Amino acid sequence: QVQLVESGGGSVQAGGSLRLSCAAFGYTYSVIDEGWFRQAPGKEREGVATIDSAGNTRYADSMKGRFTISKDNAKNTLYLQMNTLKPEDTAMYYCAAASNTRARLLPFSPASYNYWGQGTQVIVSS
């Protein structure tokens, strides 16, 4: 089992920045791919960014150039640096980890990930 704990959410004005963190505990050696997802009220959970064990990253189109996903393997911690935040970025942000290879084919599908954090709220005001 892998436990994921997010932190770093909060309230910020449009144009501001936040850095989210996700610490992993447990059988972290089993993790192949990791990602950040978000879910706004009344909307489906959507993929934000992913990173595989080789450090290759992918971003959803609306986040390219504004968000950066990274990982500190020594600390078993995943990060999401979010810059130039917009009100439409307001959502609950979740980190996810996959111990299977489904995320290689469908990196932005929530069903590809079998471990989830509890989420951290991000609110961007105009």
Side-chain angles (χ1 to χ4, degrees), residues 35-99:
W36 287 97
F37 288 75
R38 69 185 186 184
Q39 188 167 18
K43 295 188 177 181
E44 293 186 352
R45 191 167 297 190
E46 64 172 346
V48 174
T50 68
I51 186 168
D52 65 20
S53 55
N56 300 306
T57 58
R58 298 185 188 187
Y59 296 91
D61 288 342
S62 62
M63 289 69 160
K64 287 180 180 177
R66 299 192 300 125
F67 292 7
T68 303
I69 188 172
S70 62
K71 184 177 179 182
D72 186 331
N73 289 315
K75 296 181 178 179
N76 285 324
T77 300
L78 184 71
Y79 301 100
L80 183 69
Q81 177 67 43
M82 305 186 294
N83 298 327
T84 318
L85 283 162
K86 305 174 182 180
E88 51 264 43
D89 294 318
T90 294
M92 185 72 78
Y93 283 71
Y94 299 90
C95 67
S99 58

Side-chain angles (χ1 to χ4, degrees), residues 32-33 98-106 112:
I32 298 174
D33 296 306
S99 58
N100 54 68
T101 58
R102 287 194 295 269
R104 297 294 169 92
L105 296 176
L106 297 171
S112 297

Side-chain angles (χ1 to χ4, degrees), residues 1-6 22-37 45 78 93-103 107 109-119:
Q1 290 293 322
V2 175
Q3 294 79 44
L4 303 174
V5 180
E6 301 102 332
C22 174
F25 304 91
Y27 296 111
T28 57
Y29 60 84
S30 68
V31 172
I32 298 174
D33 296 306
E34 297 174 270
W36 287 97
F37 288 75
R45 191 167 297 190
L78 184 71
Y93 283 71
Y94 299 90
C95 67
S99 58
N100 54 68
T101 58
R102 287 194 295 269
S109 171
S112 297
Y113 299 81
N114 49 330
Y115 299 109
W116 291 88
Q118 81 288 351

